[in-house]
Amino acid sequence: MTTQFSQFTLSAALVARLNANKFEIPTPVQVGCIPPALEGRDVLATAQTGTGKTLGYLIPIVEMLQKTEGRGAHALILLPTRELAMQVEKAFLAIRSSSAQSVALVVGGLAERSQLDAIRRGARLIVATPGRLEDYIKRRLVRLDQVKILVLDEVDRMLDMGFQPAIARIAATLPEVRQTLCYSATLEGAVKEVARKYLNNPARIEIGSVLKPAENVELRTFEVEPDKKQELLEHLLGAETGSFLVFVRTKHGADRVARRLTKSGWSATQIHGDRSQAQRNSALRSFTEGRHRVLVATDVAARGIDVANVAHVINFDMPKMAEDFVHRVGRTGRASAHGVASTFAVPAERGDLRKIERTLSIQMKRFRVRSADLTAA
């Protein structure tokens, strides 16, 4: 029998908001996380991006805020990137059951004034990246002594980005008695350490294999000479329909690939660390809304980006690690839709390709680009 949100012990106001946003049937991660979180238990969940974990922690936060009086931050969500933080803020605003449940977005790269205004007005929820939040704490611009729920989302990514000391310093300013919800794609070394440090007898939720691409993504690899990659990309754009998310290794590479595509008449934009936040937002919006068919991205800029309906992911440059491969490929085939992921490998990268396949227990469909007209075999 299918579980529905109305079967959880949720207030009528929240159920109405979920229905209004067409959230009726919870995903497996939501079925696992929401009941223990509503009971006040700590939660440790391993699940990839795209599994619905955001709602898994926002629902308990909305319920808690409904029952809690007073101004100021009663819930704190820490995330690795501003893009992800902005998406979480948007999701919260969509499902909150009252406009009194105010939120402050605290991230780098955006004007401080509106962030500090929201905090001063008594925002009940703070959605933050660790660097900017720690800066506000040092400057005594924010108080976190009322926080009842702490969410650490994409912990593995935050640790990869060097945020462990910042998280520790932020956690030290929170009440010792609180609820902590922790989400990660993997439970490797440092993540285990964080779980041990901040979680108290957590409910453990594991959704699928954390290191495996989704079943509904067709995996292809093309062996191609470096100087033929651009041509191959344009060939695939001509041969297939739908949007393309193209991953490259460097900022310079992202600019170059996007520029060449535009020159050839394809609508392409790019997102990477050297672009301003306004440029990144604009690129993401125009890709999401279909004004640009191709988004060229570096790994760091693309972390946490949640774009629905990406038809095709292209690894223009091979990812360094199997985990990065899963992260990139996870941008297509979301929510049971079919997706395609193509990896371009130069002859010298055969060994790296096999290593990724072995680590993930996968077999990609192989094509070799033989001639100038790019017939793949």
Side-chain angles (χ1 to χ4, degrees):
M1 193 178 127
T2 310
T3 306
Q4 296 196 318
F5 282 111
S6 52
Q7 288 168 256
F8 297 136
T9 44
L10 303 177
S11 64
L14 177 51
V15 171
R17 292 305 309 140
L18 292 169
N19 288 338
N21 284 279
K22 308 244 181 321
F23 294 128
E24 287 156 14
I25 297 168
T27 66
V29 76
Q30 290 159 3
V31 171
C33 293
I34 292 171
L38 288 171
E39 286 167 15
R41 285 191 66 186
D42 286 2
V43 167
L44 174 57
T46 36
Q48 286 162 270
T49 304
T51 50
K53 59 193 167 60
T54 305
L55 224 49
Y57 58 73
L58 286 179
I59 285 174
I61 286 173
V62 171
E63 284 293 285
M64 179 273 289
L65 291 176
Q66 262 182 193
K67 296 170 189 158
T68 313
E69 295 293 315
R71 286 158 49 81
H74 287 78
L76 169 64
I77 301 170
L78 288 180
L79 305 132
T81 67
R82 58 194 145 193
E83 281 84 7
L84 191 55
M86 289 158 82
Q87 284 165 13
V88 168
E89 179 202 31
K90 191 176 166 192
F92 173 76
L93 291 171
I95 69 155
R96 66 180 179 174
S97 49
S98 142
S99 58
Q101 294 163 9
S102 49
V103 57
L105 180 71
V106 174
V107 295
L110 294 180
E112 278 192 5
R113 190 173 169 182
S114 57
Q115 302 182 25
L116 293 172
D117 282 351
I119 291 167
R120 285 190 198 106
R121 284 197 301 268
R124 314 286 312 283
L125 165 66
I126 291 178
V127 180
T129 50
R132 176 59 69 96
L133 181 62
E134 196 187 9
D135 174 45
Y136 286 0
I137 292 169
K138 279 181 187 155
R139 288 156 58 196
R140 303 195 171 177
L141 297 170
V142 63
R143 286 180 54 182
L144 301 171
D145 55 352
Q146 298 185 83
V147 168
K148 291 181 163 55
I149 297 181
L150 167 66
V151 176
L152 300 170
D153 193 7
E154 302 220 353
V155 176
D156 48 333
R157 295 282 165 209
M158 288 201 282
L159 301 184
D160 282 350
M161 294 164 80
F163 283 134
Q164 192 162 1
I167 292 168
R169 289 189 288 266
I170 291 165
T173 69
L174 304 177
E176 268 186 49
V177 178
R178 62 165 190 269
Q179 184 179 8
T180 305
L181 313 176
C182 186
Y183 297 79
S184 177
T186 63
L187 201 52
E188 312 289 293
V191 179
K192 267 195 186 129
E193 201 48 51
V194 164
R196 254 202 305 272
K197 196 169 173 184
Y198 301 118
L199 297 172
N200 179 24
N201 184 28
R204 179 80 180 91
I205 290 96
E206 256 178 292
I207 302 300
S209 161
V210 288
L211 256 194
K212 206 163 180 56
E215 301 284 328
N216 42 328
V217 177
E218 184 187 335
L219 302 174
R220 309 171 179 172
T221 179
F222 292 83
E223 187 168 298
V224 59
E225 293 298 334
D227 61 349
K228 287 275 181 268
K229 283 184 179 183
Q230 186 83 20
E231 220 178 316
L232 174 57
L233 172 57
E234 292 188 31
H235 170 79
L236 292 173
L237 278 164
E240 305 201 5
T241 56
S243 57
F244 275 57
L245 178 52
V246 179
F247 284 100
V248 291
R249 201 166 286 143
T250 65
K251 301 168 198 174
H252 174 66
D255 283 334
R256 191 177 60 239
V257 171
R259 215 169 29 241
R260 284 183 184 171
L261 286 172
T262 305
K263 212 171 164 184
S264 299
W266 303 103
S267 55
T269 185
Q270 68 271 45
I271 183 168
H272 56 65
D274 274 356
R275 302 202 85 195
S276 71
Q277 189 57 40
Q279 287 173 317
R280 287 157 94 168
N281 291 351
S282 165
L284 196 55
R285 200 178 309 113
S286 69
F287 180 64
T288 307
E289 292 170 2
R291 289 196 305 278
H292 282 101
R293 185 183 171 202
V294 187
L295 178 64
V296 186
T298 55
D299 279 309
V300 172
R303 283 195 178 137
I305 285 177
D306 190 2
V307 181
N309 310 322
V310 174
H312 205 136
V313 165
I314 301 279
N315 290 315
F316 191 90
D317 294 322
M318 278 265 288
K320 286 195 176 80
M321 295 156 63
E323 202 178 322
D324 291 331
F325 179 87
V326 172
H327 170 77
R328 290 176 175 192
V329 167
R331 304 280 157 240
T332 185
R334 311 290 286 257
S336 78
H338 175 75
V340 179
S342 297
T343 299
F344 295 179
V346 302
E349 291 173 327
R350 281 177 198 159
D352 298 332
L353 194 70
R354 277 198 293 272
K355 192 176 167 194
I356 286 175
E357 288 183 317
R358 271 200 311 276
T359 306
L360 302 176
S361 310
I362 55 170
Q363 182 79 53
M364 295 186 229
K365 209 180 280 180
R366 276 174 166 61
F367 296 86
R368 187 167 292 148
V369 178
R370 282 182 168 162
S371 61
D373 67 355
L374 295 166
T375 41

